[in-house]
């Protein structure tokens, strides 16, 4: 069983590494595809619910850049909402706004729902910036993850 968890962790780390260092040529094709969506007139969102629903709608349509923009607006209205921070972090990371995703990951590091991804993002950021000691001091180990899962099941 532990072997299986180690494989999952290795796969997640490999995928995160690949997407972090993805060649710009691959990213350009996605940006070209989203150019139409981004060129739509901006909706003036003045409420948290409006920004959140617009972000979720754009996310469902696959327009992660637009969704990220709306999550930014929602976070300016309610910067302390944990569910909003979680969803925004996932969207920022998926959209390639890694620096912004890492900012939220630092806040969500110990969160039961988003902590695993947050710690992986923080570890990748430490590797990206050459802070290898921080990457080593902050491993996302299978044992650590199992402890959180066991605690959550109690």
């Amino acid at each position: 069983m532990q072997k299986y968890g180690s494989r999952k962790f290795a796969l997640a780390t490999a995928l995160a590494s690949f997407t972090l260092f993805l060649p710009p040529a691959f990213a350009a094709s996605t940006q070209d595809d989203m150019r139409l969506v981004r060129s739509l007139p901006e909706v003036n969102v003045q409420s948290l619910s409006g920004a959140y629903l617009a972000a979720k709608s754009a996310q469902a349509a696959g327009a992660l850049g637009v969704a990220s923009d709306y999550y930014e607006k929602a976070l300016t209205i309610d910067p302390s909402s944990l569910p909003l921070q979680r969803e925004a972090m996932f969207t920022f990371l998926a959209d390639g706004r890694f620096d912004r995703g890492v900012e939220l990951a630092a806040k969500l590091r110990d969160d039961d729902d988003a902590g695993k991804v947050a710690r992986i993002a923080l570890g990748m950021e430490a590797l990206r910036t050459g802070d290898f000691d921080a990457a080593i001091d902050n491993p996302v180990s299978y044992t650590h993850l199992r402890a959180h899962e066991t605690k959550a099941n109690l």
Side-chain angles (χ1 to χ4, degrees), residues 1-10 142:
M1 178 94 162
Q2 191 170 13
K3 211 177 211 184
Y4 180 70
S6 298
R7 288 181 185 163
K8 283 176 40 178
F9 177 72
Y142 179 75

Side-chain angles (χ1 to χ4, degrees), residues 6 14 16 18 25-26 35 38 40 53 59 72 80 82 92 94 97-99 125 129 138 140 143:
S6 298
F18 177 75
F26 290 114
R35 187 171 294 141
R38 282 188 178 266
L40 294 174
L53 290 173
Q59 193 174 19
E72 281 289 0
S80 63
L82 284 177
F92 292 149
R97 297 183 190 189
F98 193 74
D99 292 336
E125 174 66 5
T129 60
N138 183 26
V140 181
T143 307

Side-chain angles (χ1 to χ4, degrees), residues 31-104:
Q31 291 171 357
D32 291 341
D33 294 341
M34 290 299 148
R35 187 171 294 141
L36 265 178
V37 177
R38 282 188 178 266
S39 67
L40 294 174
E42 186 175 332
V43 176
N44 186 10
V45 179
Q46 298 176 1
S47 69
L48 177 60
S49 59
Y52 178 77
L53 290 173
K56 292 300 283 182
S57 178
Q59 193 174 19
L64 294 177
V66 176
S68 292
D69 292 341
Y70 282 116
Y71 277 123
E72 281 289 0
K73 289 181 181 186
L75 285 169
T76 60
I77 296 169
D78 186 2
S80 63
S81 170
L82 284 177
L84 182 58
Q85 289 177 15
R86 285 183 204 117
E87 292 192 38
M89 179 192 70
F90 292 130
T91 304
F92 292 149
L93 294 173
D95 184 38
R97 297 183 190 189
F98 193 74
D99 292 336
R100 186 64 175 114
V102 167
E103 286 178 31
L104 290 174

